[in-house]
């Protein structure tokens, strides 16, 4: 009994003298700044206005999150391939970067419930005569490296056993290559496809139909061991929907029918 009492006393003393470990949520609040990784060549989710200021759905979402935390948002421009490296290197606190919630990524980072959902669309160079996803077989196609659609499209080209897949660093690179005839078609989110066609910066391209890929649910992400912050982020996403803010941002930046964030047969 004496040994147990002594051991308990040592543990208690250690607890009293050891400094409390602040988790990432505390760190962010204490610093007064939330650093968000955002992709800024991915309209309408992220881009720059005529004054070079970051704008878009993801930019507003980061600003909303910072406001809820009572801190200032810092938008850190992060290309698609650099999203997770930016977090792992400590450059950012949270990814608000249209990041697909794959099991492979979840081995490295902590991912939230979906905050946005994308459907996939085919955009083609009008000179190719491509009118559907099936027409892409045997053609030269491309997409942004590391994205959900790029992985799915490259796999499809291999299954077809015909054609060529080319990866690009940014969405702008993809649509420029498409407009210049370097590739015949691409698969991207329908929101991005429509936004790029509407800009008029990429003449000779058109959205020609849907791609038969799964709905791309995207999540916020942070360090996987930061359970307190992940819990907060999940509740924040929930609140964005419940308060109508998600619908407001969707109408502002995308328009049309609001996609459900619920996964059929899993949760509502």
């Amino acid at each position: 009994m004496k040994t147990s009492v002594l051991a308990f006393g040592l543990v208690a003393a250690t607890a009293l003298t050891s400094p409390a470990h602040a988790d990432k949520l505390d760190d962010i609040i204490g610093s007064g700044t939330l650093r968000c990784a955002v992709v800024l060549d991915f309209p309408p989710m992220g881009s720059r206005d005529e004054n070079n200021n970051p704008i878009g759905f993801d930019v507003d979402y980061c600003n909303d999150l910072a406001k809820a935390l009572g801190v200032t948002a810092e938008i850190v421009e992060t290309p698609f391939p650099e999203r997770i490296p930016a977090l792992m290197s400590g450059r950012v606190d949270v990814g608000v970067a249209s990041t697909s919630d794959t099991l492979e990524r979840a081995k490295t980072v902590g991912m939230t419930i979906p905050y946005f959902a994308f459907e996939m669309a085919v955009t083609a160079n009008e000179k190719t005569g491509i009118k559907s996803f099936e027409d892409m077989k045997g053609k030269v196609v491309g997409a942004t490296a590391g994205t959900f659609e790029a992985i799915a499209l490259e796999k499809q080209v291999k299954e077809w056993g015909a054609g060529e897949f080319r990866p690009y660093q940014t969405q702008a690179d993809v649509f420029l290559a498409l407009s210049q005839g370097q590739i015949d078609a691409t698969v991207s989110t329908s929101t991005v496809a429509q936004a790029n066609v509407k800009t008029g910066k990429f003449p000779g391209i058109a959205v020609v139909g849907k791609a038969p890929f799964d709905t791309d649910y995207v999540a916020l992400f942070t360090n996987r061991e930061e359970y307190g912050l992940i819990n907060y982020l999940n509740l924040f996403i929930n609140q964005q929907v419940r308060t109508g803010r998600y619908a407001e941002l969707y109408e502002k930046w995308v328009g049309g029918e609001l996609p459900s964030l619920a996964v059929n047969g899993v949760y509502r």
Side-chain angles (χ1 to χ4, degrees):
M1 177 65 78
K2 287 182 180 178
T3 303
S4 297
V5 171
L6 179 60
F8 177 78
L10 289 171
V11 171
T14 302
L16 288 172
T17 57
S18 299
H21 172 68
D23 63 12
K24 191 65 175 178
L25 181 58
D26 291 333
D27 292 342
I28 293 168
I29 294 171
S31 72
T33 302
L34 172 71
R35 300 170 301 164
C36 296
V38 181
V39 180
L40 293 180
D41 70 328
F42 192 56
M45 305 304 288
S47 60
R48 291 186 180 275
D49 65 15
E50 60 276 7
N51 297 315
N52 208 36
N53 296 313
I55 58 170
F57 185 99
D58 283 347
V59 174
D60 281 357
Y61 213 86
C62 173
N63 288 329
D64 286 355
L65 177 57
K67 183 178 179 181
L69 287 165
V71 299
T72 301
E74 179 183 333
I75 305 298
V76 180
E77 182 171 6
T78 313
F80 277 111
E82 296 177 20
R83 290 172 295 181
I84 291 176
L87 177 74
M88 303 307 292
S89 66
R91 288 178 53 221
V92 300
D93 304 309
V94 174
V96 188
S98 302
T99 306
S100 306
D101 56 356
T102 67
L103 290 175
E104 190 61 33
R105 285 184 175 136
K107 294 176 184 177
T108 306
V109 299
M111 310 203 81
T112 65
I113 58 176
Y115 79 98
F116 200 89
F118 292 105
E119 289 188 341
M120 297 294 121
V122 176
T123 307
N125 185 299
E126 293 174 323
K127 293 180 180 179
T128 64
I130 293 174
K131 299 296 183 184
S132 67
F133 179 79
E134 290 72 25
D135 290 344
M136 295 173 69
K137 184 176 180 180
K139 303 292 187 179
V140 179
V141 299
T144 308
T147 61
F148 171 87
E149 57 268 25
I151 294 167
L153 184 56
E154 184 174 16
K155 180 181 177 182
Q156 183 65 68
V157 170
K158 289 177 180 177
E159 289 179 0
W160 279 333
E164 179 187 346
F165 173 81
R166 295 179 182 175
Y168 291 86
Q169 280 294 106
T170 69
Q171 288 285 348
D173 290 342
V174 174
F175 283 92
L176 181 61
L178 183 61
S179 178
Q180 292 177 343
Q182 297 173 28
I183 57 175
D184 300 315
T186 185
V187 171
S188 67
T189 67
S190 57
T191 54
V192 167
Q194 295 289 358
N196 277 284
V197 170
K198 286 179 181 177
T199 64
K201 295 178 180 178
F202 308 106
I205 67 172
V207 180
V208 297
K210 291 184 178 181
F213 298 155
D214 293 337
T215 299
D216 182 14
Y217 294 98
V218 298
L220 307 181
F221 65 87
T222 189
N223 299 99
R224 67 181 187 181
E225 70 275 10
E226 295 295 345
Y227 303 114
L229 179 54
I230 293 170
N231 179 65
Y232 187 91
L233 295 175
N234 281 330
L235 183 58
F236 174 75
I237 293 168
N238 188 306
Q239 292 282 352
Q240 288 285 87
V241 175
R242 286 158 57 185
T243 61
R245 179 59 171 165
Y246 167 60
E248 182 181 328
L249 290 181
Y250 191 86
E251 180 59 32
K252 175 182 177 180
W253 292 109
V254 184
E257 185 178 351
L258 185 70
S260 171
L261 299 181
V263 180
N264 251 352
V266 180
Y267 56 80
R268 294 184 180 183

